[in-house]
Amino acid sequence: MPAPHKKLIFCIAGVLSLACALGTAAAVGTQLWVRGTILCTTGALLVNASGPELHKFIGEIQYGLFSGQRVRQCGLGGRPFQFSFFPDLLKIIPASIHVSVILFCTVLIIFALVGAGFFMFNAFGSPYETLHGPVGLYLWSFIACSCGCLIMILFSSEVKVHHLSEKIANFKEGTFKFKTHSEQFANSFWTILVCSLVHFLNALLIRFAGFEFPFSKSKDSGRITGAVDLMY
């Protein structure tokens, strides 16, 4: 059986991994990935709006990975519009990037659950295989952390580089043109960042429990090699 302090560390890491899996699953289903405002440039130019009058042409937008909503303001009051990425927006968004984000979210949830299970197994069981032991725990934590980083990179590029908010704002708009006035990442996006940091923390907890990082050379083996070299 593991030592008491190792058992405690593995339990903490397992609970953190489970919380990340649940948090990621909740984040995927929300519309709180991006929030912003959109400016109706056509309407503002028609009346030459400026200052306080400009607020009458600034609407709101928020969306997640599957759906969202926008409120268009063109001087006649807000008009809400609900939209879905599948299948409505597939023709105007970078579909390959968007689907990749969803796939990596799924992988993150799966490996976070796998990591939680193996952390608990190592806490209350007797590790006997590589995938059950510390090397496996490093592996699950590394994969989950990498998936979280890839999710943030891909989704950020989709929003900032491919101007996702602007494409959504102009969806099914023939006469009026909209421009992104402001946008910021919302709670669900930052949840992925927190989960990535937690999995990185889990790797540090494994090291704190007394297990070397994979592929690291111990000092003793270096000394033995040096002594052998001196013999020759």
Side-chain angles (χ1 to χ4, degrees):
M1 292 292 290
H5 75 281
K6 294 181 181 179
K7 182 184 296 187
L8 177 61
I9 291 174
F10 286 150
C11 286
I12 294 174
V15 171
L16 291 175
S17 294
L18 180 60
C20 285
L22 298 177
T24 303
V28 169
T30 68
Q31 298 181 2
L32 301 177
W33 284 72
V34 175
R35 283 179 175 173
T37 56
I38 50 177
L39 172 64
C40 180
T41 56
T42 305
L45 288 173
L46 284 174
V47 299
N48 197 20
S50 61
E53 297 177 349
L54 199 62
H55 291 285
K56 297 180 181 180
F57 299 92
I58 297 178
E60 298 177 353
I61 186 172
Q62 72 173 29
Y63 54 89
L65 298 181
F66 295 98
S67 61
Q69 60 181 351
R70 73 184 187 197
V71 179
R72 64 194 298 271
Q73 292 271 9
C74 293
L76 299 175
R79 297 184 180 183
F81 175 76
Q82 299 283 341
F83 58 87
S84 175
F85 283 93
F86 304 99
D88 298 341
L89 302 177
L90 280 180
K91 294 182 179 180
I92 66 169
I93 65 172
S96 59
I97 297 178
H98 197 79
V99 172
S100 297
V101 171
I102 296 174
L103 289 177
F104 280 118
C105 285
T106 305
V107 174
L108 175 57
I109 295 171
I110 292 174
F111 279 97
L113 290 174
V114 170
F118 278 114
F119 272 117
M120 292 301 180
F121 180 86
N122 280 271
F124 299 103
S126 179
Y128 59 94
E129 292 181 0
T130 302
L131 293 181
H132 292 172
V135 176
L137 298 180
Y138 279 121
L139 177 64
W140 309 132
S141 299
F142 173 76
I143 293 176
C145 183
S146 300
C147 287
C149 294
L150 287 173
I151 291 168
M152 291 185 294
I153 292 171
L154 290 174
F155 189 75
S156 298
S157 67
E158 186 180 8
V159 174
K160 300 297 183 179
V161 178
H162 294 276
H163 307 288
L164 184 61
S165 299
E166 199 163 306
K167 290 181 179 179
I168 294 173
N170 289 284
F171 177 63
K172 289 186 177 180
E173 292 289 343
T175 305
F176 293 96
K177 297 297 180 182
F178 292 86
K179 184 178 180 181
T180 303
H181 187 262
S182 66
E183 65 180 359
Q184 57 275 340
F185 295 108
N187 298 341
S188 295
F189 179 84
W190 300 120
T191 299
I192 302 298
L193 174 61
V194 172
C195 289
S196 300
L197 295 177
V198 166
H199 289 297
F200 179 76
L201 175 63
N202 282 349
L204 297 181
L205 287 176
I206 301 170
R207 180 64 185 87
F208 184 72
F211 298 101
E212 294 289 340
F213 290 115
F215 310 112
S216 62
K217 296 181 179 179
S218 62
K219 295 181 180 179
D220 293 336
S221 62
R223 290 173 182 172
I224 294 173
T225 304
V228 172
D229 292 338
L230 289 176
M231 294 178 63
Y232 293 95

